[in-house]
Amino acid sequence: MVQPNPKVVALHTGHPPAALQRIQHHADLHISTPEQLPHTLPGAEILYAWDFRTDALTNAWPHATHLRWIHAASAGVDHLLTPELVNSDITLTNSRGVFDQPIAEYVLGLILTFAKDLHTSIRLQDRKHWKHRETEQIHGKTALIIGTGPIGRAIARQLTAAGLTVNAAGRTARHDPDFGHVHRSTDLAHHAGNYDYLVLAAPLTDQTRNLVDDTVLANCKPTARIINIGRGELIDEPALTTALQHGRIAGAALDVFHTEPLPEDSPLWDMPNVLISPHMAGDTTDWTDALVDLFLTNLRAYTQGSKLRNVVNKKLGYVSETEP
């Protein structure tokens, strides 16, 4: 029988958001740093992995004596999928649905920034330099969304509404009402040259790691731009850097990287055709409350013995109701 006030450990680095305190009205809440986790985890039924990029769970795994459910404060769960967790009976859920619309708006903003050359305008303004230019229209441009989950679907709807023609790349080829035609991800190099924008929104799995590699980049239009709001490892970062340096593609907007924070010596920082943001595409002013709302909905289901939302297929690495 599930206890009405189970012990919940919220794993967080830095200053925990105030929204986390709302959990204490419904559970025995313990907020833990990665270093404290081996001491706070014993007896806990639930781990709320707000800090989902740490290896703290691996180090504390021997102390997970009562753990039954892990919830990630993210859509991606790749950092949590250790062999111990994958092979256990512990349920893993994610925060699918919280970030869909914010990320879709962010992607549209990036496309408009490129098309209207807004980043150059800001740099010229900083120098008080008046320089008239012509810009592009986005109406009629083409975009390929790599990843057909909820975030990719929200991006497709946003870009379609803005006048772009949108297709997607997923696990299988098919027709889809939001994406039109879905190409197989394994055929990405063959189709990449047909699009003005490649938007990466896939989960990170063994199949998607370095999906955009030198072969894909070599087949892109020289006017194409790459946008990555998924995971840094979806792109072969050295190959992307080389393609940008040699003008094989026109630009890139990167919210995620192989190493975060992006090292200061990365050549990406100094490229005028690269937009860099610090893994913030889905983080709006109310995002912490939205994350806790979702967790509390699942916590109520857990204490009532009901079905949890957003259960991750640990073998696949994502919620499998919708193909990635």
Side-chain angles (χ1 to χ4, degrees), residues 271-283:
M271 295 184 184
N273 56 344
V274 174
L275 307 178
I276 290 173
S277 54
H279 205 141
M280 56 178 279
D283 299 351

Side-chain angles (χ1 to χ4, degrees), residues 168-244:
R171 207 152 43 89
T172 59
R174 64 192 188 278
H175 182 78
D176 184 277
D178 289 321
F179 300 112
H181 187 73
V182 178
H183 306 288
R184 288 191 308 171
S185 296
T186 51
D187 296 332
L188 185 58
H190 179 70
H191 299 288
N194 298 324
Y195 297 93
D196 300 301
Y197 294 93
L198 270 64
V199 183
L200 282 80
L204 181 63
T205 67
D206 289 341
Q207 291 71 40
T208 62
R209 191 179 302 274
N210 287 330
L211 185 60
V212 175
D213 58 11
D214 188 65
T215 302
V216 172
L217 292 167
N219 283 283
C220 287
K221 294 179 179 181
T223 55
R225 279 95 172 214
I226 306 288
I227 297 174
N228 190 6
I229 49 76
R231 284 288 184 265
E233 295 91 335
L234 296 173
I235 297 180
D236 181 336
E237 201 167 281
L240 175 66
T241 302
T242 299
L244 289 162

